[in-house]
């Protein structure tokens, strides 16, 4: 039964991704024979590595992230404060290579997959869209601005911006959106084979 379930899963994903299964028709005529035997058909329906990579890419949730951040550098003779308009993006997804079939009911045509919970796969600070809007100084730093101080402040601000984006990307609501997207895409793919899908997130 499990082999049939795996075949159904492969059929649904392969047909959805490629549009049709790979079906070969070969006719063999024995040498010297005056009659032609019935042709035989080879059927191969499966998911290639490229197909799985494409499906994994489809299930990834891509989100734009934005924030306003203020970073302060404090010294003995003054302070410097930088304000950043942060822009970036994150990719959140689940590893489909770890999917497991935990239930297969041919009577109700229902397949239940166990999938690992989505995780943040990458976070990128978009330097082209991130803007340093102001630098304000107090104390002696205002009277004697230092380029070294400015460099330290800006570097600290951008490093903190990256950390804030990573923190924002890990929010529960974004992981839940990634789960919903993965479930919807997988269900749509299995509908091709007229099966329903359930997902057990672990």
């Amino acid at each position: 039964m499990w082999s049939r379930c795996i075949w159904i899963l492969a059929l649904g994903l392969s047909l959805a991704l490629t549009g049709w299964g790979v079906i070969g028709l070969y006719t063999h005529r024995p040498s010297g024979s005056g009659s032609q035997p019935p042709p035989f058909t080879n059927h191969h329906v499966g998911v290639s590595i490229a197909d799985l990579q494409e499906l994994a890419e489809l299930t990834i949730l891509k989100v734009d992230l934005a924030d306003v951040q203020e970073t302060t550098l404090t010294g003995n003779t003054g302070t410097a404060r930088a304000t950043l308009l942060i822009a970036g993006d994150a990719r959140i997804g689940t590893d489909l290579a770890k999917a497991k079939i935990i239930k297969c009911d041919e009577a109700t045509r229902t397949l239940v997959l166990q999938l690992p919970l989505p995780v943040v796969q990458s976070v990128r600070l978009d330097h082209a869209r991130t803007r340093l809007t102001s630098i304000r100084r107090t104390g002696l730093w205002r009277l004697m601005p230092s380029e070294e101080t400015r460099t330290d402040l800006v570097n600290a601000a951008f490093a903190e911006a990256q950390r804030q984006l990573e923190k924002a990307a890990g929010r529960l609501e974004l992981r839940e959106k990634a789960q919903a997207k993965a479930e919807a895409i997988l269900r749509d793919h299995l509908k091709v084979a007229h099966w329903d899908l359930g997902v057990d997130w672990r």
Side-chain angles (χ1 to χ4, degrees):
M1 181 182 73
W2 288 108
S3 61
R4 173 171 171 77
C5 290
I6 295 172
W7 181 86
I8 290 295
L9 178 61
L11 173 64
L13 299 182
S14 182
L15 291 182
L17 288 169
T18 65
W20 50 283
V22 181
I23 302 175
L25 175 62
Y26 304 92
T27 303
H28 174 67
R29 182 192 296 271
S31 177
S33 173
S35 62
Q36 179 178 345
F40 63 89
T41 303
N42 292 324
H43 296 272
H44 171 71
V45 180
V47 183
S48 69
I49 294 176
D51 288 338
L52 287 177
Q53 290 175 340
E54 181 181 349
L55 181 60
E57 180 69 20
L58 289 175
T59 60
I60 290 176
L61 177 68
K62 300 176 184 178
V63 293
D64 286 327
L65 302 171
D67 196 2
V68 177
Q69 171 188 302
E70 190 174 83
T71 302
T72 302
L73 181 63
T74 302
N76 294 327
T77 58
T79 62
R81 186 172 291 109
T83 302
L84 282 182
L85 294 178
I86 304 171
D89 53 68
R91 294 159 58 90
I92 305 167
T94 185
D95 187 355
L96 295 184
K98 296 180 180 178
K100 296 180 182 178
I101 297 175
I102 59 175
K103 181 180 179 182
C104 181
D105 190 335
E106 293 194 45
T108 61
R109 299 184 70 82
T110 300
L111 196 66
V112 179
L113 289 180
Q114 183 182 98
L115 291 175
L117 288 168
V119 296
V120 178
Q121 297 178 339
S122 66
V123 179
R124 182 180 67 98
L125 176 65
D126 189 339
H127 288 264
R129 292 190 295 141
T130 298
R131 295 283 186 268
L132 177 65
T133 60
S134 69
I135 293 181
R136 301 186 303 278
R137 299 177 176 88
T138 64
L140 292 180
W141 287 5
R142 182 177 181 182
L143 301 175
M144 296 180 294
S146 165
E147 188 61 31
E148 181 180 356
T149 298
R150 184 185 189 281
T151 300
D152 290 343
L153 177 62
V154 171
N155 287 340
F158 274 83
E160 179 61 23
Q162 178 69 31
R163 287 191 291 268
Q164 288 302 314
L165 289 182
E166 292 171 358
K167 181 179 179 180
R171 294 198 306 265
L172 176 61
E173 61 265 28
L174 292 182
R175 295 200 303 271
E176 290 175 343
K177 286 183 179 180
Q179 287 179 236
K181 180 180 180 181
E183 288 183 23
I185 289 176
L186 290 171
R187 285 195 177 98
D188 286 345
H189 286 188
L190 280 184
K191 282 181 181 178
V192 177
H194 307 290
W195 277 66
D196 292 327
L197 175 72
V199 178
D200 178 25
W201 292 99
R202 295 294 178 89

